Amino acid sequence: MRAKGINYDTGFTPGGRSSRPVFDAEAVRREIRVIADDLHCDAVRITGGDPARLALAAEHAADAGLEVWFSPFPCELSARELVPYFADCADRAQEVGADVLVAGCELSLFAAGFLPGDDTFARINAVAGDNPDATEAAARLAEIAARLDTVLADVAATVRERFRGKVTYAAGTWEQIDWAPFDIVSVDAYGDASDAFRQGLREYLRHGKPLAATEFGCCTYRGAAERGGFGWAIVDYEADPPRLDGNYVRDEEEQARYLREMMAVFEKEGVDTAFWFTFAGYEFPHRTDPRFDLDMASYGVCKLMPDGSLAPKRSFHAMAKAYE
């Protein structure tokens, strides 16, 4: 594999809920150095909805010698609002010397208007939940391909007017993308070592472009690897304070084992670049009481301690060894 990396969240807001309520510039600098020096990453995918936060983190990443994937992550914007948003981000990415601009992530879910639902969580529930709207939403997934491709083509053209690096898009596995406007084929590759998953990776390679796993990872409880990209959905936010919605067994080794298995799959199948999701879950604090240990719902290789500091998990050490 050419480059091994990790996602670094500067804060995005699905449904108006921030994934990083507190953003401290000095903490960002320190954490980026950990990614470069301790985790031995070659690359970092800087994600988030605020262009200024993205630019600040990207500057630190460039200073640390990392390959910078500048990855704006807008939520709840309409198709009309996406082009000017990405134009601003492209200017900032060019200014900080980013290597790759990722022109959105799973926009069929995170942008407004492609699928039914008033916000991201409603759209996810419509597609994946057990409710009367699921059939309709699943049918619309096939229908949105042309419209999504039109939006992405407009975004890519706008970005290229302002940004001289490579351009890609972080697709969900359910999205059928025309990759002609992009330099890299990228997919959020939540899966396993099965033959079916491997064959899916090979299908992406038929486009004749480098393949990136813009996300892969699992949460921190027993059985989380099987739930893949939906492992986070175990928190009851209606409770005060928020708590897990059932009884789960904390299992840091689940993450570490999954990381090792997937890296072997990506190496064998010819993936160019892979980014673990994610460095830390800043909205999921670790608690000793398992009912309130929201870190179980986190994909981070670091856990957020009650005092606000970060502590490495077993996956952190597994990554440092795998990335040496």
Side-chain angles (χ1 to χ4, degrees):
M1 195 181 306
R2 185 188 63 81
K4 301 169 184 177
I6 196 168
N7 280 260
Y8 183 79
D9 179 31
T10 63
F12 70 116
T13 54
R17 189 173 71 219
S18 175
S19 65
R20 192 165 184 178
V22 178
F23 185 81
D24 177 77
E26 179 57 26
V28 172
R29 185 194 65 79
R30 292 195 306 268
E31 291 163 9
I32 293 292
R33 292 303 319 189
V34 169
I35 288 171
D37 298 339
D38 299 342
L39 288 174
H40 312 300
C41 289
D42 306 305
V44 62
R45 179 183 171 216
I46 306 290
T47 69
D50 183 335
R53 287 188 179 188
L54 287 168
L56 185 148
E59 282 189 57
H60 289 311
D63 290 344
L66 292 162
E67 181 175 296
V68 179
W69 289 47
F70 196 100
S71 186
F73 203 142
C75 296
E76 321 307 346
L77 295 186
S78 67
R80 180 177 297 178
E81 293 170 314
L82 288 172
V83 170
Y85 171 83
F86 280 106
D88 178 25
C89 290
D91 288 338
R92 295 173 188 263
Q94 180 61 35
E95 184 176 351
V96 300
D99 300 279
V100 179
L101 191 144
V102 184
C105 176
E106 300 179 10
L107 288 176
S108 60
L109 291 181
F110 288 95
F114 292 103
L115 287 169
D118 292 335
D119 64 21
T120 297
F121 297 110
R123 291 188 286 273
I124 290 173
N125 190 52
V127 173
D130 182 15
N131 62 74
D133 294 326
T135 300
E136 176 189 351
R140 287 190 65 179
L141 281 173
E143 299 173 2
I144 65 171
R147 183 169 178 231
L148 183 56
D149 281 340
T150 298
V151 172
L152 288 176
D154 289 344
V155 168
T158 299
V159 165
R160 288 193 186 280
E161 292 175 356
R162 296 164 167 80
F163 178 69
R164 292 193 290 274
K166 295 179 179 179
V167 182
T168 188
Y169 168 73
T173 53
W174 62 90
E175 294 177 332
Q176 301 301 311
I177 303 299
D178 175 9
W179 292 104
F182 300 104
D183 303 298
I184 303 165
V185 174
S186 299
V187 60
D188 292 345
Y190 294 96
D192 52 33
S194 67
D195 290 341
F197 180 75
R198 291 172 183 269
Q199 182 57 39
L201 292 177
R202 294 168 197 157
E203 286 296 313
Y204 288 109
L205 289 169
R206 67 183 172 82
H207 297 283
K209 298 180 179 184
L211 173 60
T214 32
E215 294 180 17
F216 76 102
C218 79
C219 294
T220 320
Y221 58 90
R222 194 166 300 165
E226 296 179 3
R227 300 184 68 169
F230 287 96
W232 54 269
I234 62 170
V235 178
D236 180 3
Y237 287 102
E238 300 300 319
D240 186 16
R243 56 174 294 168
L244 301 185
D245 64 8
N247 296 319
Y248 300 90
V249 177
R250 184 176 181 84
D251 190 350
E252 291 193 11
E253 184 57 31
E254 178 111 357
Q255 278 190 317
R257 181 173 58 250
Y258 182 79
L259 184 147
R260 291 189 292 264
E261 289 176 354
M262 294 307 293
M263 289 301 295
V265 169
F266 294 150
E267 289 277 6
K268 185 172 182 179
E269 298 302 332
V271 172
D272 177 83
T273 308
F275 296 94
W276 175 268
F277 182 81
T278 182
F279 181 70
Y282 297 95
E283 60 174 329
F284 297 121
H286 170 56
R287 307 285 183 187
T288 55
D289 185 338
R291 296 170 300 173
F292 297 96
D293 184 10
L294 301 191
D295 179 68
M296 286 198 219
S298 169
Y299 294 78
V301 299
C302 294
K303 53 192 171 189
L304 181 68
M305 303 303 287
D307 64 359
S309 64
L310 296 180
K313 302 185 201 176
R314 290 190 182 184
S315 54
F316 182 103
H317 302 294
M319 177 177 291
K321 184 175 180 179
Y323 283 15
E324 282 181 331

